[in-house]
């Protein structure tokens, strides 16, 4: 009878250990999910900044082209 009680105690201890490992794994997964969401937000922000930067560069180049074309036309017409 005593060995049965000891086996039950051992199994309960093993179950408790498993529950703790499971809880720790869940915490790690939740932390990883949070970090992934943060990184995704950072990537989106960087993409938006890069897109704005490219758009501004395009506008600057377009402005230079318009200025160059205007100069050429004015020189031709003079």
């Amino acid at each position: 009878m005593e060995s049965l009680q000891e086996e039950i105690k051992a199994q309960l201890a093993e179950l408790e250990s498993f529950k703790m490992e499971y809880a720790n794994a869940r915490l790690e997964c939740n932390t990883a999910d949070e970090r992934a969401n943060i990184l995704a937000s950072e990537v989106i922000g960087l993409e938006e900044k890069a897109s704005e930067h490219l758009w501004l560069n395009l506008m600057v180049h377009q402005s230079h082209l318009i200025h160059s074309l205007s100069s050429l036309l004015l020189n031709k017409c003079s």
Side-chain angles (χ1 to χ4, degrees), residues 3 8-9 15-16 19 24 36 41-42 44 46 61 77:
S3 68
I8 290 172
K9 284 182 184 178
L15 177 62
E16 193 60 36
K19 286 165 69 176
N24 286 337
S41 295
E42 290 175 3
I44 290 169
L46 289 172
H61 288 295
C77 293

Side-chain angles (χ1 to χ4, degrees), residues 2-47:
E2 197 168 303
S3 68
L4 180 60
Q5 287 178 339
E6 286 184 20
E7 182 158 339
I8 290 172
K9 284 182 184 178
Q11 287 180 356
L12 287 173
E14 190 176 333
L15 177 62
E16 193 60 36
S17 175
F18 176 77
K19 286 165 69 176
M20 294 281 284
E21 286 181 40
Y22 178 77
N24 286 337
R26 294 266 320 220
L27 285 173
E28 288 177 15
C29 286
N30 289 341
T31 301
D33 285 344
E34 288 178 29
R35 184 67 182 140
N37 288 335
I38 291 169
L39 289 173
S41 295
E42 290 175 3
V43 167
I44 290 169
L46 289 172
E47 286 175 340

